[in-house]
Amino acid sequence: VGALVEEQQTVSLGPAATVQEAAEKMAKHRIGAIPVLDSGKLMGLFTERDLLNRVVAAGLRPEEVSLEQVMTKDPITVTVDASLVKSLSIMFEHKFRHLPVLNDGQLAGVLSCRDIPTDYWMMWEKWVSAQNELKAAVG
């Protein structure tokens, strides 16, 4: 997956940044998630779903809430040498649309569903379908 994120200009914020700041950056850069870094270390990931479920639905004011309060803390990550199959498995299993990618413990980028080539999605869906058919036939 390293090749899929190596050209990214990753946008990040610190844990004290507000949800309002994050939403503005997400809109400006047309992205669905922002890594939350503290001294270069990945602390969390703030996603569109976090905005909807933890801020808007909870009736919180975006300009008054810090990312640290509503981010997904200690997100599952993969390393740059992880296979696309492994990364897709994690994303499907946990219903993620964004997966942070690390290189020697530092954020290399965020793998998004949009970054994955269409032919991989089609192969993956066929593989999952075949697995489900096999499970149904066996038991």
Side-chain angles (χ1 to χ4, degrees):
V1 295
L4 293 174
V5 299
E6 69 184 353
E7 298 296 320
Q8 280 186 2
Q9 297 295 326
T10 305
V11 176
S12 64
L13 287 169
T18 67
V19 168
Q20 182 68 40
E21 291 173 85
E24 289 170 5
K25 279 193 180 260
M26 291 164 74
K28 178 181 178 183
H29 295 279
R30 301 176 48 90
I31 55 176
I34 290 193
V36 180
L37 304 178
D38 191 11
S39 300
K41 182 179 182 228
L42 180 66
M43 304 302 292
L45 190 66
F46 182 73
T47 68
E48 295 164 321
R49 287 183 184 167
D50 294 329
L51 176 62
L52 177 66
N53 296 323
R54 296 179 181 169
V55 180
V56 176
L60 302 177
R61 296 178 56 130
E63 65 277 5
E64 296 175 358
V65 178
S66 71
L67 292 181
E68 187 171 32
Q69 295 173 277
V70 293
M71 68 185 181
T72 299
K73 293 181 169 98
D74 301 315
I76 294 172
T77 62
V78 294
T79 59
V80 291
D81 59 348
S83 71
L84 187 52
V85 170
K86 176 184 177 183
S87 301
L88 279 172
S89 294
I90 291 169
M91 292 172 84
F92 269 100
E93 178 183 345
H94 297 283
K95 297 179 175 60
F96 295 158
R97 293 185 305 170
H98 301 93
L99 185 62
V101 180
L102 303 180
N103 186 10
D104 291 327
Q106 298 295 309
L107 184 69
V110 177
L111 182 65
S112 167
C113 291
R114 293 187 306 189
D115 299 325
I116 300 169
T118 305
D119 54 340
Y120 281 92
W121 279 114
M122 292 178 357
M123 287 188 295
W124 179 260
E125 288 171 355
K126 287 180 183 179
W127 185 81
V128 169
S129 177
Q131 292 292 344
N132 290 336
E133 289 175 18
L134 181 61
K135 287 178 188 175
V138 171

